[in-house]
């Protein structure tokens, strides 16, 4: 089997991109494009989407391990960087599947399993790190509650996608409202948490950023639950 050319891979990717309107800013303008570049290279070298998913899981696991084990000031920088690399790969696997036209339920399931495990473990590892360092009292407990919030949010999103009918014409044209929504949604994107982790060596700054993120997640999660419950009730 001949390798796919870079030009063919780019054409296949351009023809199968997901809608971008309303997607969080970093994911929309940074992570997905970087993931697309990785997907093109992976297609060129005949990698599979599951191999990219595995690399994403390994990168995230190493970052989580560094955060939990090390008490040095640079632990958050290294962990955040590795998690961001894993985030790019997490975007690349789906794009590679669309390039190769080999996407399926098994690959999607594996991708969601990795995401579902990684999301709460980031905050659990942070709680361990905070308990072992001179962090403000109570921050570790915030991190543990945060882990439960992101886990519950992830589960509620998956269930809603399965239970609610898909909207018609969802791939609407990008407009100014979509761009504004992308910036409004940015705090809830996992990249924001990863960047915040890089400040864990500066306790006062980190506490402000992390608590603000926690409050934002709790509020938006509550609104999301209310909206989805209303939609499901109306079915």
């Amino acid at each position: 089997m001949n390798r796919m050319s870079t030009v063919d891979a780019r054409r296949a990717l351009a023809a199968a991109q997901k809608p971008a309107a309303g997607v969080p800013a970093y994911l929309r303008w940074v992570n997905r494009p970087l993931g697309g570049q990785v997907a093109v290279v992976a297609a060129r070298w005949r990698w599979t989407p599951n191999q990219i998913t595995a690399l994403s899981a390994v990168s995230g696991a190493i970052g989580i391990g560094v955060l939990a084990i090390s008490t040095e000031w640079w632990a958050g920088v290294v962990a955040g960087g590795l998690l961001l690399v894993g985030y790019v790969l997490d975007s690349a696997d789906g794009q590679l599947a669309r390039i190769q036209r080999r996407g399926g339920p098994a690959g999607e399931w594996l991708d969601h399993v990795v995401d579902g495990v990684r999301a709460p473990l980031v905050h659990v590892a942070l709680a361990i790190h905070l308990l072992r360092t001179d962090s403000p009292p109570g921050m570790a407990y915030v991190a543990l509650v945060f882990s439960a919030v992101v886990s519950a949010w992830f589960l509620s999103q998956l269930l809603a996608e399965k239970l609610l009918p898909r909207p018609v014409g969802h791939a609407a044209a990008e407009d100014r409202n979509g761009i504004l929504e992308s910036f409004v949604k940015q705090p809830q994107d996992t990249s924001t948490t990863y960047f915040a982790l890089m400040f864990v060596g500066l306790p006062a700054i980190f506490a402000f950023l992390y608590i603000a993120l926690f409050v934002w997640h709790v509020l938006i999660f509550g609104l999301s639950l209310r909206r989805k419950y209303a939609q499901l009730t109306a079915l």
Side-chain angles (χ1 to χ4, degrees), residues 76-223:
V77 177
V78 173
L82 287 168
L83 286 162
L84 285 170
V85 170
Y87 194 33
V88 170
L89 295 170
D90 184 42
S91 183
D93 57 7
Q95 297 187 72
L96 178 59
R98 291 192 290 278
I99 289 174
Q100 297 176 335
R101 297 181 181 177
R102 63 192 304 170
E108 185 177 356
W109 172 82
L110 181 62
D111 185 60
H112 285 324
V113 168
V114 172
D115 291 341
V117 171
R118 176 169 47 206
L121 279 185
V122 169
H123 299 279
V124 172
L126 175 62
I128 295 171
H129 177 89
L130 293 171
L131 286 171
R132 301 177 65 221
T133 57
D134 296 328
S135 60
M139 284 295 296
Y141 299 107
V142 173
L144 289 175
V145 176
F146 209 153
S147 72
V149 170
V150 297
S151 183
W153 194 341
F154 183 79
L155 179 61
S156 74
Q157 291 286 96
L158 284 182
L159 288 174
E161 289 176 6
K162 299 299 181 184
L163 296 173
L164 289 171
R166 294 184 180 275
V168 178
H170 182 65
E174 298 177 17
D175 54 20
R176 286 178 297 179
N177 291 334
I179 292 173
L180 177 61
E181 185 180 358
S182 290
F183 284 103
V184 171
K185 285 184 175 180
Q186 178 54 39
Q188 66 210 55
D189 188 59
T190 53
S191 63
T192 308
T193 299
Y194 300 158
F195 280 114
L197 287 178
M198 295 182 178
F199 292 91
V200 76
L202 301 171
I205 296 174
F206 176 74
F208 173 79
L209 293 174
Y210 192 71
I211 291 174
L213 271 178
F214 172 71
V215 171
W216 173 271
H217 275 72
V218 170
L219 291 175
I220 301 301
F221 179 44
L223 292 173

